Amino acid sequence: MREVFTLLKPRLWSFRNRGLAGSLRGRKLRSFLFATIGFLFWGGIFLVFYRVLTYFQRVEGFGDILAYKLLSMALITFFSLLISAGF
């Protein structure tokens, strides 16, 4: 049992320090900063996908098929990342 406690000590210290460190204003500012960075990142990803998909739709003949394949490849990639993160 002592070995388990020794392994868990850093985790327990981090929980204790999280409650003590920083003011409420600092935590709100950090949360706002990370949220802004996250929204900018996902907004950029959306714009890139939007431009690529609209370009593919303008291609005669196989543009829709190409867009479908791109979206299915992205879905499979995200799904595999979710599955691998679970293990």
Side-chain angles (χ1 to χ4, degrees):
M1 185 67 182
R2 185 176 175 158
E3 295 86 11
V4 173
F5 182 70
T6 303
L7 290 173
L8 290 177
K9 256 200 276 193
R11 172 86 49 165
L12 295 173
W13 288 340
S14 70
F15 284 134
R16 185 185 66 190
N17 290 335
R18 185 179 306 166
L20 299 176
S23 64
L24 181 61
R25 184 171 180 249
R27 280 189 255 161
K28 283 186 179 181
L29 181 64
R30 189 175 342 145
S31 297
F32 177 73
L33 179 67
F34 282 125
T36 303
I37 290 171
F39 283 126
L40 287 174
F41 174 76
W42 286 112
I45 295 292
F46 172 77
L47 288 175
V48 167
F49 265 98
Y50 184 77
R51 283 187 59 122
V52 168
L53 291 175
T54 54
Y55 174 75
F56 283 165
Q57 277 193 331
R58 283 187 262 150
V59 175
E60 293 268 342
F62 68 99
D64 290 334
I65 296 169
L66 199 57
Y68 174 77
K69 292 292 183 182
L70 177 69
L71 287 174
S72 65
M73 187 171 57
L75 180 68
I76 288 172
T77 302
F78 291 142
F79 183 68
S80 65
L81 286 172
L82 281 174
I83 294 297
S84 67
F87 291 109

